[in-house]
Structures are given as C-alpha cells and as structure tokens.
Amino acid sequence: MTGKNTTLVRDFMETVWNEGRTDEAAAYVAADLIQHNPDLPDGLDALTGLIGMLRGRMPGMRFEIRRTAAEGDLVFVHSLFTPAPGADGQAVVDIYRMENGLIAEHWDVHQDIPATTASGHPAV
C-alpha cells in the first residue's frame, strides 16, 4: 500500500500544485482534510483556494521532489520549492497521512536554501 500512497502523493503534487489543476484535487485529497499548517484552515476548499491564489501570484512556482519515504499510512516528501524558474528556493518536507485512498491529513516544514552550508552538502 505504501507504493500506491506514494504514487498518489507524487501525482497530487505534480497535477494540483505544479500544474495548478485544482479542479482535480478531490481525486487526491479528502474534502475534510485535517491541516496542521498554522496558516491554513481544514478542508479541501481552503487548500485549493490557497493553491489558486499562490499560482496567480507565482505562475512559475514548482515543487521538485527530491526524495520520498513511506511508512504505514504516512508519506514523506522532501522537495525543493521555487517561486519562479531560477529563483532562490526553500527546502520543504511535507507529511501526508492517507485514509481510504486519499490524503486525509497534512503537516509541513520549510527553510530557505542557504548560499553555503557548514558541511558543504546541499540543503535539499
């Protein structure tokens, strides 16, 4: 099941976030989505409203998935988010809990990508 969940989350991020096809979000996300992002209320409508607003302001925004992991009903996605091609980005980790074949719950954390790191390793 973890492979199927990971595929659904990857497809969601590409279709809904990167391509802006919010009309298809219900195929990936439960209507009563539980949201742990402190800036968003619960629900699919709040999420699609946010995506529409952000894509209106940043039409070139993109999440480039670098790695995923899954355990039980959870899918973890580590991405590079850029607001426009060539712009400085953020390292983002999204955690999705799946239920009945849909994203039912979401957490996220992010940090700006620094110009350099103490270790010399990239942040994403």
Side-chain angles (χ1 to χ4, degrees):
M1 186 58 97
T2 57
K4 184 176 181 180
N5 289 343
T6 300
T7 298
L8 184 132
V9 167
R10 283 179 165 276
D11 290 348
F12 161 71
M13 292 188 72
E14 183 60 33
T15 302
V16 179
W17 277 100
N18 289 340
E19 296 175 12
R21 294 172 19 208
T22 56
D23 58 317
E24 296 182 33
Y28 305 98
V29 179
D32 59 348
L33 171 71
I34 299 167
Q35 183 62 257
H36 295 278
N37 180 312
D39 299 321
L40 279 176
D42 290 343
L44 175 61
D45 291 341
L47 178 63
T48 57
L50 171 73
I51 295 168
M53 184 270 300
L54 290 175
R55 293 203 57 79
R57 291 190 348 212
M58 301 178 287
M61 66 180 250
R62 179 159 185 81
F63 284 91
E64 181 184 323
I65 296 174
R66 297 292 177 90
R67 56 195 56 83
T68 60
E71 180 178 321
D73 61 356
L74 299 174
V75 177
F76 305 84
V77 181
H78 189 204
S79 303
L80 171 63
F81 169 78
T82 50
D88 291 338
Q90 291 187 324
V92 178
V93 175
D94 287 288
I95 305 168
Y96 299 99
R97 184 180 63 80
M98 310 301 292
E99 185 176 288
N100 299 321
L102 295 172
I103 296 167
E105 196 165 2
H106 171 254
W107 298 259
D108 64 326
V109 293
H110 53 87
Q111 70 180 35
D112 292 337
I113 300 289
T116 61
T117 63
S119 67
H121 303 294
V124 177

